[in-house]
Amino acid sequence: MPEGPRIAFLKEQLDQFVGQPVVEAQGTAKNIPFPLLPEQTLTEIKTFGKELLLCFPDFALRIHLLFFGKYALNAELNRELQLGLTFESGTINFYACDCRYISEPLEQLYDWTTDVLHPSFDPDKALQKLLRQPKQLICDAILEQSIVAGVGNGIKNEALFRCHLHPASVVGEIPEPILKNLVRACVTFSQEYLSWKQENTPTKNWQVYQRNTCPRDLVPLRKEKLGKTKRSCYFCEKCQELYAASF
DNA sequence: GGTTATGTTATTTC
DNA sequence: AGAAATAACATAAC
């Protein structure tokens, strides 16, 4: 379900509850102190990459939707409820997700300069981190949440395509300006993805991910599980350049 | 029934 | 010890 932009969109949907106390908290999530939650006021909602952070005065709840996570706003789904929070004006229910209680200050745990959707995102830092992993394939490196938090498999494929860069390229062989472009493409695609969510426009904007034909060359796209992560790569051999190892 | 899918983390193995 | 492979979790669609 989630890449960074969808979590950012979820935050916007839930911001209406900020300032309200929890009326009821239920669910089966481990590590969540349910009896402690009622009457706590939701002070802020943050996101970090694919993580949703519900902030209360003395702690935070971290929700990660993982692969199959679902949520329902003012509705219920027919499966095990992990975490349900009822506020004065509505209810949010989370399913099939990872929930955690965080007592440490968030600034101590998160570095928002690595979050592609955060205003403080630092593209140069991301570039330097990539350069520190010269032997990795770019299709693996660009999924690393410690480098570009929020990027998932869809954004990966679209950003690589926009930069004419083959997913099996070796990081150390890619010219630096192209790597720089790739980082920038992750940011701009994520921002566009979020605005499509906000405007509720269909995902016609995906050019290669889960598609069959290259929109530029009209040749069939290749689909392969590449890299150590073995995630699906959709790419055009004709218009995405491969920078292979030179030994 | 098998495969695949927008993800991460704990455990095992080398 | 530490990197790397494997398992684990949860769910729906084809």
Side-chain angles (χ1 to χ4, degrees):
Chain A
M1 141 116 233
E3 289 187 79
R6 298 187 69 149
I7 303 304
F9 181 64
L10 170 58
K11 166 195 148 55
E12 292 178 5
Q13 289 184 289
L14 299 184
D15 269 339
Q16 55 174 308
F17 297 134
V18 169
Q20 295 183 20
V22 173
V23 176
E24 189 185 2
Q26 49 185 329
T28 57
K30 291 168 191 168
N31 311 320
I32 298 294
F34 287 95
L36 222 123
L37 300 183
E39 295 178 36
Q40 294 284 333
T41 296
L42 181 66
T43 52
E44 192 183 359
I45 302 178
K46 295 173 183 277
T47 62
F48 176 81
K50 302 162 188 169
E51 302 176 35
L52 182 75
L53 299 160
L54 305 177
C55 305
F56 295 90
D58 304 312
F59 61 91
L61 301 181
R62 186 200 91 136
I63 293 128
H64 197 304
L65 294 173
L66 300 172
F67 223 66
F68 305 120
K70 294 268 186 296
Y71 64 87
L73 181 56
N74 298 322
E76 286 177 30
L77 300 181
N78 182 25
R79 64 192 63 150
E80 185 178 287
L81 178 66
Q82 290 293 317
L83 173 63
L85 294 174
T86 299
F87 296 91
E88 287 165 347
S89 67
T91 298
I92 179 67
N93 290 319
F94 296 101
Y95 307 87
C97 57
D98 181 44
C99 304
R100 292 184 197 173
Y101 175 87
I102 299 180
S103 52
E104 303 97 306
L106 295 180
E107 303 72 46
Q108 227 164 284
L109 300 175
Y110 294 97
D111 173 9
W112 269 279
T113 66
T114 65
D115 181 343
V116 293
L117 276 179
H118 197 273
S120 72
F121 176 70
D122 184 345
D124 289 326
K125 199 162 161 185
L127 177 65
Q128 295 310 319
K129 286 185 191 169
L130 284 174
L131 292 173
R132 258 179 261 151
Q133 309 191 4
K135 290 184 177 168
Q136 280 225 74
L137 299 191
I138 192 61
C139 62
D140 289 329
I142 206 63
L143 283 177
E144 288 202 13
Q145 300 304 293
S146 57
I147 300 179
V148 278
V151 172
N153 208 32
I155 297 171
K156 171 194 86 176
N157 278 294
E158 296 297 325
L160 285 168
F161 177 75
R162 285 186 171 188
C163 295
H164 302 257
L165 183 55
H166 193 294
S169 294
V170 177
V171 171
E173 305 296 328
I174 303 170
E176 216 174 290
I178 295 182
L179 271 184
K180 212 168 174 172
N181 272 343
L182 181 63
V183 172
R184 200 163 51 199
C186 288
V187 174
T188 53
F189 188 86
S190 296
Q191 290 169 344
E192 290 172 29
Y193 188 175
L194 174 58
S195 65
W196 298 330
K197 290 297 294 176
Q198 290 165 338
E199 292 153 16
N200 199 20
T201 52
T203 52
K204 60 181 179 187
N205 308 291
W206 297 72
Q207 297 189 92
V208 291
Y209 181 60
Q210 293 179 338
R211 305 210 169 264
N212 300 314
T213 310
C214 174
R216 286 202 278 251
D217 298 324
L218 305 178
V219 294
L221 289 171
R222 296 195 60 119
K223 178 193 171 191
E224 285 177 39
K225 295 189 174 183
L226 301 177
K228 68 176 186 193
T229 49
K230 293 190 169 59
R231 303 295 301 277
S232 291
C233 293
Y234 296 77
F235 59 98
C236 172
E237 282 182 308
K238 206 171 150 193
C239 71
Q240 287 175 260
E241 188 163 355
L242 175 64
Y243 298 89
S246 58
F247 51 83

